[in-house]
Amino acid sequence: MDEAISSDLEIAVLLPCYNEATTIASVVRGFREALPTAKVYVYDNNSTDGTALQAMLAGAHVMRERRQGKGYVVRRMFADIEADIYIMADGDGTYAPSDAEELIRTMLTERADMVVGTRRGVHDDAGRQGHAAGNRLFNILYRSMFGRDFTDIFSGYRVFSRRFVKSFPAVSGGFEIETEMSVHASRLKLPVIELELDYGRRPEGSHSKLSTYRDGAKILWMFAMLMKETRPFAFFGIISAAIFGVSLAFMAPVLTEYFETGLVSRMPTWMLSMSLLMVSLLVFTAGIILDSVSRGRAEQLRIHYMGLHARPPRFYRDAPAFVKVPDDVVETENKRSGASAA
């Protein structure tokens, strides 16, 4: 890696792992070669095949998270590790460590808070046809619900700024964590970049931990919960419209009879339709109120994010030409140089 970058940055490589003994050693060595000054952390999530030992022998700092699930591991990693730049990848060997330098360079030049290494060709073959179809479906669903910031929300190869890591309120427990990261960035309007990279195949003896239907259901549930939390007006508006439609279905024949005969012979049906109408109005009102609450929470998250230290001047002091030095950093360094000369 470029010496001017690596010497000024504290870089942490984070590898959440569960039963990846076949591949983890080569992944650790690959990152140590690509980023010589970075610290490589492997978080073992109750592996039973010697993953922790292989990672340790390869030179990684090995830690353990006993609660099962990638979300728990990521939450623990983000809380434990202090660094300037965080690189997260999988331990299965499907992401190339050699691409890490380009991801970091992109983040620095674009001054982004997250760079996502999108997987080239993943929608054509994701190991199983069910996975490929699920990738397409959930990415389309994400863009319709949360915006068009991302084209591959399930990529596990990402680079984060410290601001992102320390402002991310991770709540999910499993593979839904990548979706939550994407929604967090979209909700706070954070600067994010996508960089298309080659996506490898698992070597023989390494198996995916994903279950097409079980994990797909969890991700779908997470979509619903994140929409409820971040877009409550739309979420409750849809529910209100559905209840209102049912109310109209029960109401229509009663009203038709009334206009034709002046009588209401189906009083229970009329009462049910009125009750559903009231419920619909209550749900709609709840959506309006919760939308204001959600906006307030988003503002607080944004304020917390802005309160975190941005990259200090040392990041740019001896940076190469492709890294744009912000004007405020130039002014700070000029003042510091003047004071030193005096």
Side-chain angles (χ1 to χ4, degrees), residues 96-221:
S98 58
D99 290 328
E101 182 178 354
E102 183 62 26
L103 289 169
I104 293 175
R105 182 181 289 109
T106 300
M107 192 181 80
L108 290 175
T109 55
E110 299 291 341
R111 303 185 70 182
D113 281 306
M114 178 169 68
V115 179
V116 181
T118 61
R119 299 167 292 178
R120 186 180 290 118
V122 69
H123 300 310
D124 300 324
D125 179 12
R128 278 183 272 177
Q129 289 301 314
H131 289 182
N135 268 306
R136 293 193 200 94
L137 174 62
F138 284 123
N139 278 287
I140 292 172
L141 189 60
Y142 180 93
R143 289 194 291 272
S144 65
M145 294 171 65
F146 302 107
R148 298 183 173 275
D149 293 328
F150 300 96
T151 60
D152 185 9
I153 60 171
F154 297 129
S155 173
Y157 203 3
R158 300 176 183 231
V159 174
F160 310 97
S161 69
R162 185 178 184 278
R163 268 184 168 179
F164 184 99
V165 166
K166 298 305 180 182
S167 68
F168 175 54
V171 297
S172 58
F175 285 98
E176 320 92 84
I177 190 70
E178 283 96 354
T179 303
E180 191 181 352
M181 290 175 181
S182 301
V183 172
H184 176 69
S186 297
R187 184 184 190 188
L188 297 189
K189 307 295 190 294
L190 303 184
V192 296
I193 302 292
E194 287 190 324
L195 187 65
E196 191 176 39
L197 304 173
D198 289 327
Y199 182 62
R201 296 290 177 263
R202 284 176 172 270
E204 186 176 352
S206 177
H207 304 285
S208 174
K209 314 304 185 300
L210 283 172
S211 169
T212 300
Y213 299 105
R214 185 184 67 248
D215 289 310
K218 288 181 180 179
I219 293 168
L220 191 61
W221 178 255

